[in-house]
Amino acid sequence: MNYYEISEETARTAHSMVHMSDYKPGSATDGYRAAVDEAAALVASKKAEVSPFYHDKLDALLDRYARRLAEWTNAHNRNQASYPSQFISGAGGYNMKKHNKQMAREDTLWKEYDEIKGILSKIKSVGTGPVDLADPHAREILTEQLAAYQKSLDDAKAANAFYRKNKTLDGCPGITPKEKAWLTRPGVFAKGDGTPLALYGCPFPAYELQSRRGYIKRVADRLAELDKRQAQQAQPTENEKFDGGEIVRNLEADRLQIIFDEKPDEETRSVLKSNGFRWSPRYGAWQRQLTQNAEYAARCVLKAISKAAGGDSPC
């Protein structure tokens, strides 16, 4: 973990512009590092929950948070140091134009701060959503998930067989004490026992087994999609120019991109949006995920543009 530099001189000046009290040396740096330490603790706890293949991503997010928070802290202190508050300078001759400019910058800085705090939300969400097939470790993560889901299904089926034979879960392999406590907990459905076992006659009813099979199928489908995508990427692809722009297959970003020589008109933008393309300021392109459907959609866009210019009919 890296700490980035906090300007103590700027922090001291900013403090003097707002407060009557003396500045405590090092307090700006200490506050910044305490916030980064909290983020580091969050990353450490998250690493204990997710696959090791996500650890590099978590480290990168932590470093981004530490860097941007340091940049923000210094920028915020510079803004506060730019002009004193009325509490310090007094109302006489106070330059409201400078004050209003400072306050406008303050509003912008706090919006940036909310974006920085959003990095913590990204850290919390790592490993919880679908695996990004553009991730360099996608195959390893999906293979790991598939094995875990298959084991979960096998354990559930074994627990059902064990219970049918022994009429108890005591000593059942593959069932943790926590799982056993949940499966045999007192129910709230009716009088009497009311435990899940009494309700369904087995620890894992058919719908639960079906649900776990569904997880397995979804991961297997994602692996098949990854195989297909990597096979496509193994084939040489070239950009295609058209009158007024170019189609780019950005394999690294996993995006099919349409780049125009000039900003397209409103009608063209409407056609792009209706075919699933969205504007990317980062790439200066209209893009969507690189799939066969995207290739088809791009043809539809070009045909619609051609029709508007008096050419072929639209897709």
Side-chain angles (χ1 to χ4, degrees), residues 51-293:
S51 167
F53 295 112
Y54 286 113
H55 290 190
D56 287 346
K57 182 175 184 178
L58 287 166
D59 289 337
L61 286 170
L62 175 59
D63 185 71
R64 187 193 307 172
Y65 176 79
R67 174 178 53 79
R68 290 196 60 188
L69 184 61
E71 293 170 351
W72 181 89
T73 300
N74 289 326
H76 185 256
N77 287 337
R78 282 195 301 270
N79 189 54
Q80 286 199 322
S82 65
Y83 199 67
S85 69
Q86 283 187 331
F87 176 72
I88 298 297
S89 67
Y94 195 74
N95 190 325
M96 289 304 299
K97 184 176 181 180
K98 287 186 177 180
H99 172 77
N100 291 337
K101 182 179 179 181
Q102 183 187 46
M103 290 300 99
R105 175 60 176 152
E106 184 83 359
D107 289 342
T108 300
L109 284 167
W110 282 109
K111 289 177 182 177
E112 292 177 4
Y113 182 76
D114 288 339
E115 293 177 1
I116 295 168
K117 295 289 284 186
I119 298 174
L120 299 178
S121 297
K122 291 182 179 180
I123 290 173
K124 294 176 182 177
S125 68
V126 168
T128 60
V131 176
D132 183 358
L133 297 185
D135 190 302
H137 297 300
R139 183 171 300 280
E140 291 91 338
I141 296 171
L142 287 169
T143 301
E144 192 176 75
Q145 285 185 353
L146 187 63
Y149 286 139
Q150 185 62 57
K151 183 179 185 304
S152 173
L153 175 62
D154 293 342
D155 286 345
K157 291 164 68 176
N160 283 350
F162 184 93
Y163 185 79
R164 282 196 301 270
K165 179 179 180 181
N166 301 286
K167 302 305 179 185
T168 180
L169 288 177
D170 293 340
C172 178
I175 297 294
T176 66
K178 183 178 179 180
E179 288 174 322
K180 179 185 173 184
W182 187 88
L183 289 168
T184 59
R185 74 191 189 284
V188 295
F189 303 100
K191 296 179 180 179
D193 190 15
T195 63
L197 290 173
L199 288 168
Y200 304 113
C202 62
F204 298 98
Y207 73 84
E208 176 64 26
L209 298 180
Q210 187 60 34
S211 175
R212 299 189 186 200
R213 291 188 184 98
Y215 289 136
I216 293 170
K217 184 180 185 305
R218 283 192 288 274
V219 175
D221 288 345
R222 294 283 283 170
L223 276 168
E225 184 180 348
L226 180 61
D227 289 338
K228 182 179 179 181
R229 183 172 301 185
Q230 290 181 340
Q232 291 175 344
Q233 292 176 353
Q235 299 174 0
T237 57
E238 298 180 356
N239 298 342
E240 297 180 27
K241 292 186 177 297
F242 60 89
D243 186 17
E246 184 179 20
I247 295 177
V248 176
R249 293 167 183 84
N250 189 330
L251 301 183
E252 183 178 351
D254 191 33
R255 294 293 182 269
L256 188 143
Q257 301 169 330
I258 303 179
I259 300 176
F260 294 91
D261 297 336
E262 298 179 355
K263 181 178 178 180
D265 57 30
E266 184 176 350
E267 182 179 355
T268 300
R269 295 197 301 271
S270 178
V271 171
L272 286 161
K273 292 176 183 178
S274 66
N275 281 277
F277 288 90
R278 295 294 178 265
W279 172 249
S280 168
R282 176 183 178 184
Y283 292 105
W286 290 85
Q287 64 180 24
R288 57 179 286 179
Q289 190 173 25
L290 182 57
T291 63
Q292 289 298 322
N293 286 340

